[in-house]
DNA sequence: AACTTTCAGATCGTACATTATTTGTCAACA
DNA sequence: TGTTGACAAATAATGTACGATCTGAAAGTT
């Protein structure tokens, strides 16, 4: 399995376990650094306890991924992660995920369905008691469907978008209505796969992604109010 | 220490026109460096006539964009730009571009249609006499439709994918059958916009992208044979 | 008031030190 | 004789330091 889109292996970093890149990215996505704020390399270097070079390279990587905007001799700025950004990503996923799902319906075995049902059972048993654990299970659920798709580029895109959306909502609880929707939609999805109904599965996923987007935007608004 | 301004280099400008990043990216996309080949910073530095830092930063940016793969303490490698890669990108575009087109049909004014027809007239007048000029006109044509879309993320993705596909086929002529298809599809597209037929336009674009993908893969095969 | 000069602060490029990996050599062993 | 394993040297990536250049804005001049 060759997937690893951007995941560089673990880093010894020094201070924390995660790399400079991950720390910076998380600060941007989670909103700890404000939109359009300037990112000065020397300041970041002293704050992270390294020299400037690792910072510069991390910023370039983030630039490539579109999280920071840079201009010649004028440094880097934070790309705003706002409601529009979330909407844009979700709209793209509404197009991509149904296509991935449709393909999965065509190749799914009874073993795959068993796996889905097992994860889904865990999700329902947990019932959002632990946010991080739920997020991990939900990732597993969708990964079971998408991971073996031949279009690695599309899957990598999905993974990256998912990481972004996940980081945005982190720390703010999911609404009850959204919780029930997620579980219901997962069940419908499994039913469609069983019935070999690719069109139905595709529709359910589109609705699932759209609902997820709305939920995240809600949490984004909450975050704005509380800081 | 004065920094040597690439005096001996045969490259133009250098400031913003052809940065290290762009040169490296072009070498990867155009296939001048082989798939999975190792990219050594010191070697690249001497070859490009700079120190290692600009190279490292360019590599990080390319990593963020997915053109090079890096592992800790083991350097960078060229991500293979092969038929699968083209197919993956085109499949994503087959999903995205119809959505962008559908939106355009909804907001197009008569002025927009005039612009489209003017560019299309230029394309037909040129009739593929100049490859680079045609590519530029074709970009203009599609940009007229997509550029004002609210989903900047999707448009950026489209632009990036288009640059990649454009660079892959560069230097190899488009087949005659493809040439006529392109012109025909553009005409159909304009007709659909005029008739406010969003579904039809969407279908035409999907076919357009698919044909483009097939054409590029053909040229990729040609390139492989001739080196 | 508009233009020029000056200067602090930040980015960018170069050189060097450190650390990890790869390579090459050679002896021990089946 | 061919293979394996350990160890040393070479090679390359990563981190640190510093000088050069650019930007932005305040201070000074006409």
């Amino acid at each position: 399995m060759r997937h690893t889109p951007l995941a560089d292996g673990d880093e010894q970093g020094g201070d924390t376990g995660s790399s400079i890149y991950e720390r910076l990215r998380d600060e941007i996505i989670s909103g700890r650094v404000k939109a359009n704020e300037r990112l000065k390399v020397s300041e970041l270097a002293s704050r992270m306890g390294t020299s400037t070079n690792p910072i510069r390279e991390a910023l370039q990587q983030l630039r490539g991924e579109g999280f920071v905007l840079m201009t010649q001799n004028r440094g880097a700025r934070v790309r705003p992660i706002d409601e529009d950004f979330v909407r844009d990503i979700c709209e793209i996923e509404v197009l991509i995920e149904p296509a991935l799902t449709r393909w999965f319906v065509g190749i799914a075995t009874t073993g795959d369905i068993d796996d889905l049902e097992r994860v889904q059972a865990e999700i329902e048993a947990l019932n959002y008691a632990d946010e991080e654990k739920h997020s991990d299970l939900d990732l597993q659920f969708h990964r079971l469907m998408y991971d073996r798709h031949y279009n690695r580029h599309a899957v990598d895109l999905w993974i990256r978008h998912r990481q972004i959306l996940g980081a945005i909502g982190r720390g703010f609880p999911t609404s009850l209505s959204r919780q029930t929707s997620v579980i219901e939609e997962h069940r419908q999805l499994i039913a469609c796969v069983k019935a070999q109904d690719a069109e139905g599965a595709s529709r359910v996923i589109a609705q699932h992604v759209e609902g997820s987007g709305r939920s995240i935007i809600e949490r984004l608004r909450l975050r704005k109010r509380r800081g």
Side-chain angles (χ1 to χ4, degrees), chain A residues 147-164:
Chain A
D147 231 2
R148 282 176 308 172
H149 199 279
Y150 60 89
N151 191 329
R152 300 315 304 167
H153 214 264
V155 177
D156 287 352
L157 204 61
W158 167 69
I159 289 176
R160 214 161 76 195
H161 285 168
R162 198 181 195 289
Q163 285 179 336
I164 295 171

Side-chain angles (χ1 to χ4, degrees), chain A residues 88-221:
Chain A
D88 288 357
I89 287 182
C90 287
E91 279 188 10
I92 292 173
E93 285 308 313
V94 165
L95 299 172
I96 291 179
E97 292 197 41
L100 297 178
T101 302
R102 219 173 282 135
W103 190 76
F104 173 73
V105 173
I107 62 144
T109 65
T110 54
D112 293 326
I113 295 173
D114 289 346
D115 289 341
L116 279 178
E117 284 183 323
R118 196 172 320 120
V119 176
Q120 175 64 6
E122 277 193 74
I123 289 175
E124 297 189 19
L126 181 65
N127 197 33
Y128 292 87
D130 182 344
E131 179 199 320
E132 192 181 327
K133 195 153 178 73
H134 168 80
S135 173
D136 188 57
L137 285 170
D138 191 72
L139 176 62
Q140 267 185 54
F141 185 88
H142 292 279
R143 202 185 265 276
L144 280 172
M145 297 199 297
Y146 303 152
D147 231 2
R148 282 176 308 172
H149 199 279
Y150 60 89
N151 191 329
R152 300 315 304 167
H153 214 264
V155 177
D156 287 352
L157 204 61
W158 167 69
I159 289 176
R160 214 161 76 195
H161 285 168
R162 198 181 195 289
Q163 285 179 336
I164 295 171
L165 299 178
I168 290 175
R170 191 161 26 190
F172 290 86
T174 311
S175 74
L176 261 174
S177 81
R178 176 67 192 150
Q179 290 183 11
T180 56
S181 296
V182 166
I183 288 177
E184 176 57 28
E185 284 157 4
H186 279 199
R187 282 179 183 166
Q188 285 177 22
L189 195 57
I190 292 175
C192 287
V193 177
K194 273 182 177 168
Q196 289 291 291
D197 177 9
E199 266 320 300
S202 158
R203 268 199 306 276
V204 171
I205 275 289
Q207 187 188 329
H208 192 58
V209 173
E210 229 170 278
S212 163
R214 270 198 295 275
S215 164
I216 289 165
I217 287 180
E218 277 306 313
R219 286 185 268 180
L220 202 61
R221 287 182 180 146

